[in-house]
Amino acid sequence: MLLALLMVAAPVPSDVAQRLVGGALTEGVAYARLEELTDTIGPRLSGSAGAEAAVRWALQKLRDDKLAARLEPVKVPHWVRGAESGEILASPRAVGHPLALTALGNSVGGDAIAEVVEAHSLAEAAALGESARGKIVFFNHQMRVPEEYGRFVEMRSHGPSAAARAGAVAVLVRSLATASFRSPHTGMTGYDADAPKIPAAAISTEDAELLHRLLQRGPVRVRLSLGCRMLPDTDSANVVGDVRGREKPEEIVLLGAHLYSWDLADGANDDGAGVVMVMEAGRLLAALPQHPRRTVRVVLFMNEENGLAGGKGYAAAHQQELGRHVAALEADGGAGRPLSVRVHAGEGGAEMLAPWLSPLATLGVGLGTGDAGGADVSPLDPASVPTVSVHADPARYFDIHHSAADTLDKIDPENLARNAAAIAVVAYGLAEMPAPLPRPAPKPSRDKPEGPKPAAR
Amino acid sequence: MLLALLMVAAPVPSDVAQRLVGGALTEGVAYARLEELTDTIGPRLSGSAGAEAAVRWALQKLRDDKLAARLEPVKVPHWVRGAESGEILASPRAVGHPLALTALGNSVGGDAIAEVVEAHSLAEAAALGESARGKIVFFNHQMRVPEEYGRFVEMRSHGPSAAARAGAVAVLVRSLATASFRSPHTGMTGYDADAPKIPAAAISTEDAELLHRLLQRGPVRVRLSLGCRMLPDTDSANVVGDVRGREKPEEIVLLGAHLYSWDLADGANDDGAGVVMVMEAGRLLAALPQHPRRTVRVVLFMNEENGLAGGKGYAAAHQQELGRHVAALEADGGAGRPLSVRVHAGEGGAEMLAPWLSPLATLGVGLGTGDAGGADVSPLDPASVPTVSVHADPARYFDIHHSAADTLDKIDPENLARNAAAIAVVAYGLAEMPAPLPRPAPKPSRDKPEGPKPAAR
């Protein structure tokens, strides 16, 4: 009796549920597009030929899907990796040891040969004082699970300046990784205005363990050479496509992901998966016999990873209509199995959305708790835009995150489709519910290199 | 009652069991030595400075342990890796794609730019005929579990000659790996006398998947450059140490492992683990108040991986006493949890050994079935030497096998100690039992690049 009542009360019409969930789970469009994006374009670092090819590709796909699509120009940083190498010099080993390393994004290039000194936090690096002068500071940590990313990422994002202030000549950071086969993980770093810019690279967790052990035996010298450099900012674009609302087209539900990827691999997980998920949600919604009440806007951001230019650019360009952004969802947590829907809104918002999630019950996805934000949509926070996320299982996310192993084979087609279905259903609910979600209290803008990643939510 | 009877009947004195198992599990010597070997010496490719440092190190350790130790000279191949790179050229991708590759051991160096043609076996490569002329043959497969290594390894060991006979200019082989983060796995290849020698490299499984998918889209061209080369054979040595038998010193129980490693990493798993296990068994046996009846001989072979010079050299040098080798055990299956003891002997041999294994019952190690051999001891087969092995769980063995990820952090200290304990107990039984194991029917000598690895047993 209760069940019957609930089923009658479910607000999503059954043909809509069938088209959204059934379409995502049977047609294979999201996975086919991810394969096309990663195989025929590849890495999409901002400023690169791959990024620009991806912009053109995405615009065409949104148009194929009957979204009202356009490019919105943004200036992006143009950092390029060069030849890079490093080694532990022979003593205390019988022979030298090549370090599996990769420059951090935005690092300056340069060469160094110096003794290594180990630190485990920014505070420890600052406390090194004179003992760091002329040295290479090695930031080590014990990240074991995804939830620890947020705790240790400061060493990658702010370590170079902390070390430089203590007189260091270069920085090595243990990769923020939950598994490794000698695979270094890059990621954004930044330089404070008051500190010299010194070269900074990530090393594999195995090399970090070795360095740590060798330092117990005595002094260790390392040679480091990074050929990376920053070029002038370049023109790029966010790719934006609207499924125009049938009643309130001026009210916007934003579905975002970042088209940009790191350069070491094809970015299948970060964030090709998110890109094709939100594209798929847009495609399925646009193909409904009637559009939802509000506009659903797919935004493929350029340059999340090394500057957030896309997210900031979007917020600036749309400043006047942020008050009519009724919700924003960012898909940037990988393609693990979707576990829950998280809501950051005003009082009672989550409960308002809950009944709209009933088409996801059989997939095991219901309302959950935790951070619902994302880096690209964080510039919307000062305008009190509610954020909603589909939380995917993060267990394996940091195994490959920002590394050369972020490739298509790591993506499970069924979980990718489940995520697309969940995003489509969430977007439908947000765009169709009679009144929009209550808005949360405003949060301050987040203006730092990179906050905790979604998987740490 | 039955239990009491069994305990009384167990032939290993309780103080011996305590010293062997308790010593291995509490003193941490094997792990400490593995750390010393991998951290202070590192890779040990035959002919390298690391290999020679390891020979000196091992000789000293065996002497420290009171074994009668010596070097037995062998000539070994001296192959060196050089700079190596490769890429999928831009079309059908928007941008080129760097291949994660590494030369196969013994490969000739060379450069190639050519279209790729895919094959899945030696037979398929031979059948390519004219379509392979001037091309790069890409050997692909679907290895999923350790047991499949033996089925696919022919493509690595004999693929280059099969492809060269069809007119190919180079070979790429999908890594024989059960997991990958873009990590190529090297391994020995060989050239037949009747075929041109062409460069051959392993590519990561991810790159193999990509190449396979791109080939569905159209022709794919690859650039390959390998700087490896073969130098003249060089002088090296097997390291041999005896725990002299108290009654029948001329009868020998051989415990072998290979000191050599591949050059991409420190060889912690292959075969540093085996080296310290058999050293530890020797140490514990030498420290018993009285030595076992027969001699236990620890043999650390040089050059298993790219030529088996150590194993062949030992068999040739000891030809006259092979009839008095009562058993040979090779530890070359990694340091997974020991699961069973395998015996290849004449009729009734396994049953003879069984009661001597009672000290291992609580560790879950009893008599099992399956291949008990090993590459280094295979030259003893024509002399009908019984082989015995401690079979370790191979589940993760091929994740890191022959790759840059074969590092100390992959070794579980407790499982390493369990294996050492098991080998010590097995060796004690073989050396103490009243009559030696019955000898098996002779097997033909195995004279090919490399047979199935122990984990495929």
Side-chain angles (χ1 to χ4, degrees):
Chain A
M1 187 61 191
L2 181 61
L3 183 67
L5 188 69
L6 278 172
M7 290 179 72
V8 169
V12 182
S14 65
D15 73 305
V16 170
Q18 286 164 17
R19 283 168 181 270
L20 300 182
V21 178
L25 288 177
T26 64
E27 293 168 16
V29 173
Y31 189 81
R33 283 189 175 172
L34 184 58
E35 181 176 325
E36 192 176 313
L37 174 66
T38 56
D39 283 0
T40 72
I41 295 175
R44 306 172 295 281
L45 187 62
S46 70
S48 70
E52 294 319 296
V55 165
R56 292 190 298 274
W57 175 88
L59 180 66
Q60 186 57 52
K61 292 295 177 194
L62 293 180
R63 288 182 172 162
D64 291 348
D65 293 344
K66 313 281 190 241
L67 276 70
R70 59 199 174 274
L71 301 185
E72 298 191 354
V74 285
K75 279 269 186 200
V76 294
H78 188 188
W79 178 84
V80 291
R81 188 177 302 282
E84 49 193 18
S85 68
E87 60 182 319
I88 297 174
L89 298 173
S91 171
R93 279 168 74 97
V95 292
H97 171 83
L99 289 166
L101 62 72
T102 195
L104 296 182
N106 293 356
S107 174
V108 297
D111 301 309
I113 295 183
E115 254 187 45
V116 170
V117 56
E118 181 170 340
H120 305 88
S121 66
L122 296 181
E124 258 191 60
L128 288 172
E130 277 307 303
S131 68
R133 186 157 307 278
K135 305 276 177 63
I136 295 172
V137 172
F138 157 45
F139 285 101
N140 198 7
H141 57 82
Q142 289 293 323
M143 179 178 172
R144 298 283 181 211
V145 293
E147 291 69 23
E148 290 176 325
Y149 182 83
R151 190 174 141 209
F152 296 123
V153 70
E154 65 165 23
M155 288 186 267
R156 193 195 71 207
S157 54
H158 296 286
S161 287
R165 273 191 289 268
V169 296
V171 158
L172 297 175
V173 184
R174 181 191 177 114
S175 290
L176 293 157
T178 41
S180 181
F181 292 147
R182 286 290 283 291
S183 31
H185 295 227
T186 189
M188 164 137 177
T189 194
Y191 293 109
D192 300 339
D194 68 341
K197 295 184 177 184
I198 59 175
I203 57 173
S204 74
T205 60
E206 289 94 334
D207 289 303
E209 298 270 335
L210 175 64
L211 212 41
H212 174 79
R213 291 193 305 268
L214 291 179
L215 285 166
Q216 316 308 307
R217 293 184 186 270
V220 177
R221 286 169 65 79
V222 158
R223 180 192 66 75
L224 177 71
S225 178
L226 302 182
C228 49
R229 62 196 192 283
M230 187 68 84
L231 302 178
D233 284 359
T234 188
D235 292 315
S236 188
N238 294 329
V239 185
V240 182
D242 287 348
V243 180
R244 191 176 160 81
R246 71 172 192 279
E247 286 181 12
K248 302 185 171 188
E250 74 288 358
E251 293 188 4
I252 292 159
V253 174
L254 187 156
L255 305 181
H258 64 85
L259 199 49
Y260 168 103
S261 80
W262 280 105
D263 58 327
L264 297 175
D266 295 342
N269 188 62
D270 185 15
D271 186 27
V275 165
V276 300
M277 286 174 199
V278 298
M279 286 174 86
E280 180 65 352
R283 183 185 78 90
L284 293 165
L285 291 165
L288 288 176
Q290 59 174 9
H291 285 187
R293 190 167 286 164
R294 300 182 186 83
T295 292
V296 174
R297 175 173 293 172
V298 173
V299 183
L300 306 177
F301 294 98
M302 184 47 61
N303 182 236
E304 180 249 2
E305 303 279 9
N306 70 342
L308 213 57
K312 291 175 184 169
Y314 179 86
H318 296 267
Q319 195 61 45
Q320 298 312 314
E321 58 175 11
L322 295 189
R324 297 191 300 276
H325 278 59
V326 300
L329 175 152
E330 180 165 357
D332 186 22
R337 185 173 180 128
L339 300 178
S340 64
V341 174
R342 296 170 166 189
V343 179
H344 176 70
E347 183 78 23
E351 294 70 19
M352 275 176 65
L353 183 61
W356 297 85
L357 304 181
S358 63
L360 302 176
T362 303
L363 299 182
V365 179
L367 212 56
T369 56
D371 183 5
D376 289 309
V377 298
S378 63
L380 309 181
D381 287 344
S384 295
V385 178
T387 50
V388 180
S389 75
V390 172
H391 176 63
D393 181 357
R396 304 269 59 87
Y397 185 81
F398 287 101
D399 290 2
I400 60 170
H401 178 251
H402 295 187
S403 83
D406 185 357
T407 49
L408 182 67
D409 51 287
K410 308 302 186 307
I411 305 297
D412 175 67
E414 186 176 354
N415 281 335
L416 184 76
R418 283 193 181 104
N419 278 286
I423 291 170
V425 167
V426 168
Y428 181 84
L430 293 167
E432 187 66 21
M433 49 175 45
L437 294 182
R439 295 174 89 83
K443 281 193 285 192
S445 70
R446 185 163 58 164
D447 196 3
K448 57 179 182 178
E450 188 189 3
K453 289 290 288 187
R457 282 182 293 198
Chain B
M1 188 62 189
L2 180 61
L3 183 66
L5 188 68
L6 279 172
M7 290 178 73
V8 169
V12 183
S14 64
D15 74 306
V16 170
Q18 286 164 18
R19 284 167 181 269
L20 298 181
V21 177
L25 288 177
T26 63
E27 294 168 15
V29 174
Y31 190 80
R33 284 189 174 172
L34 184 58
E35 181 175 325
E36 193 176 313
L37 175 66
T38 56
D39 284 0
T40 71
I41 295 175
R44 306 173 295 282
L45 187 62
S46 69
S48 70
E52 294 320 295
V55 164
R56 293 190 297 275
W57 174 88
L59 179 66
Q60 186 58 52
K61 292 295 177 194
L62 292 180
R63 287 182 172 160
D64 292 348
D65 294 345
K66 313 283 188 240
L67 277 70
R70 61 199 174 273
L71 301 184
E72 298 191 353
V74 285
K75 278 270 186 198
V76 294
H78 187 187
W79 177 83
V80 293
R81 190 177 301 282
E84 48 193 19
S85 68
E87 61 182 318
I88 296 174
L89 298 173
S91 173
R93 279 167 75 95
V95 291
H97 170 84
L99 290 166
L101 62 73
T102 195
L104 296 182
N106 292 356
S107 173
V108 295
D111 301 310
I113 296 183
E115 255 188 45
V116 170
V117 55
E118 183 170 339
H120 305 87
S121 66
L122 297 182
E124 258 190 61
L128 287 173
E130 275 307 302
S131 66
R133 185 156 307 279
K135 306 275 176 62
I136 295 172
V137 171
F138 158 45
F139 284 102
N140 198 8
H141 57 81
Q142 289 292 322
M143 179 178 172
R144 299 281 179 213
V145 294
E147 290 69 22
E148 290 175 325
Y149 182 83
R151 189 173 140 207
F152 295 123
V153 70
E154 64 163 24
M155 288 186 267
R156 192 195 73 207
S157 55
H158 295 288
S161 288
R165 274 192 288 267
V169 296
V171 158
L172 298 175
V173 183
R174 180 191 177 113
S175 289
L176 292 157
T178 41
S180 181
F181 292 147
R182 288 286 285 289
S183 30
H185 296 229
T186 190
M188 163 136 178
T189 195
Y191 293 108
D192 300 340
D194 68 341
K197 294 184 177 184
I198 59 175
I203 58 173
S204 74
T205 60
E206 290 94 334
D207 289 305
E209 298 269 336
L210 175 63
L211 212 42
H212 174 80
R213 291 193 304 269
L214 290 179
L215 285 166
Q216 314 309 306
R217 293 184 185 270
V220 178
R221 284 169 68 79
V222 158
R223 181 192 64 74
L224 176 71
S225 178
L226 301 183
C228 49
R229 62 195 192 284
M230 187 67 84
L231 302 178
D233 284 359
T234 187
D235 291 317
S236 187
N238 293 328
V239 185
V240 181
D242 287 346
V243 180
R244 192 176 160 82
R246 72 172 191 279
E247 287 182 11
K248 301 185 171 185
E250 73 288 358
E251 293 189 5
I252 293 159
V253 174
L254 187 155
L255 305 181
H258 64 86
L259 198 49
Y260 169 104
S261 80
W262 280 105
D263 58 328
L264 297 174
D266 295 343
N269 188 63
D270 184 17
D271 186 24
V275 165
V276 299
M277 287 173 198
V278 298
M279 286 175 85
E280 179 66 352
R283 184 184 78 91
L284 293 165
L285 290 164
L288 289 176
Q290 60 174 10
H291 284 186
R293 190 167 288 162
R294 300 182 185 84
T295 291
V296 174
R297 175 173 293 172
V298 173
V299 183
L300 306 176
F301 294 97
M302 183 49 61
N303 181 239
E304 180 248 2
E305 303 280 11
N306 69 342
L308 212 57
K312 290 176 185 169
Y314 179 87
H318 295 268
Q319 195 61 45
Q320 298 312 313
E321 58 177 10
L322 295 188
R324 297 191 302 276
H325 278 57
V326 301
L329 175 152
E330 180 164 359
D332 186 21
R337 185 173 180 127
L339 301 179
S340 64
V341 174
R342 296 172 167 187
V343 179
H344 176 69
E347 183 81 21
E351 295 70 19
M352 276 176 65
L353 183 62
W356 297 85
L357 305 181
S358 62
L360 302 175
T362 303
L363 299 182
V365 180
L367 212 55
T369 56
D371 184 5
D376 288 310
V377 297
S378 64
L380 308 182
D381 288 343
S384 295
V385 178
T387 51
V388 179
S389 76
V390 172
H391 175 63
D393 181 357
R396 303 269 58 90
Y397 184 81
F398 286 100
D399 291 2
I400 59 170
H401 177 252
H402 295 188
S403 83
D406 185 356
T407 50
L408 182 67
D409 51 286
K410 308 303 186 307
I411 305 296
D412 176 67
E414 186 177 352
N415 281 335
L416 185 75
R418 282 193 182 105
N419 278 287
I423 292 170
V425 168
V426 168
Y428 180 83
L430 292 167
E432 188 66 21
M433 51 176 43
L437 294 183
R439 297 174 89 83
K443 281 194 284 192
S445 70
R446 186 162 57 162
D447 195 2
K448 57 179 181 176
E450 189 190 1
K453 290 287 288 185
R457 283 181 295 194

